[in-house]
Amino acid sequence: MQIIEIKKNKKFETWIKQQECVMCNRLGSDPHHLPLAFQSRRSQDEGNLVSLCRSCHQNLHHIPSLEKSNMEFLKRKAKELWNEYQLRNN
């Protein structure tokens, strides 16, 4: 069994909580990590985290087909958020 090292970037996660929900544009207080199966990096934050409101976050967890059907969109938004964070904080 392979163990995957997960590193957290708390500053990025705090910043994500202040962004709009990528699904509905309301305040996105819930960071959502893309499932490991869809991640291209080992970090759960760098390019694999999106901002969601509580309602959209619950929907993604309770309706698996919703996340799967929106995965390309979510991956693109996660990358955009990471790039924006990098520009603002470097």
Side-chain angles (χ1 to χ4, degrees), residues 29-69:
S29 60
D30 286 6
H32 176 70
H33 292 98
L34 302 183
L36 286 172
F38 297 104
Q39 293 182 9
S40 60
R41 298 181 177 96
R42 288 182 167 209
S43 166
Q44 282 207 16
D45 293 328
E46 299 173 8
N48 293 308
L49 187 66
V50 293
S51 181
L52 296 172
C53 68
R54 179 63 44 102
S55 177
C56 289
H57 198 197
Q58 289 177 340
N59 286 340
L60 281 182
H61 281 287
H62 291 32
I63 308 170
S65 61
L66 182 63
E67 182 171 53
K68 196 171 192 175
S69 65

Side-chain angles (χ1 to χ4, degrees), residues 4 7 15 17 21 30 40 56-57 69 78 80:
I4 297 175
K7 61 180 181 177
W15 181 83
K17 290 178 182 180
C21 174
D30 286 6
S40 60
C56 289
H57 198 197
S69 65
E80 288 172 8

Side-chain angles (χ1 to χ4, degrees), residues 68-85:
K68 196 171 192 175
S69 65
N70 285 290
M71 189 51 61
E72 288 306 313
F73 169 77
L74 292 171
K75 287 194 304 187
R76 187 178 77 248
K77 295 306 280 185
K79 186 174 182 178
E80 288 172 8
L81 285 165
W82 175 248
N83 289 339
E84 182 179 344
Y85 173 79

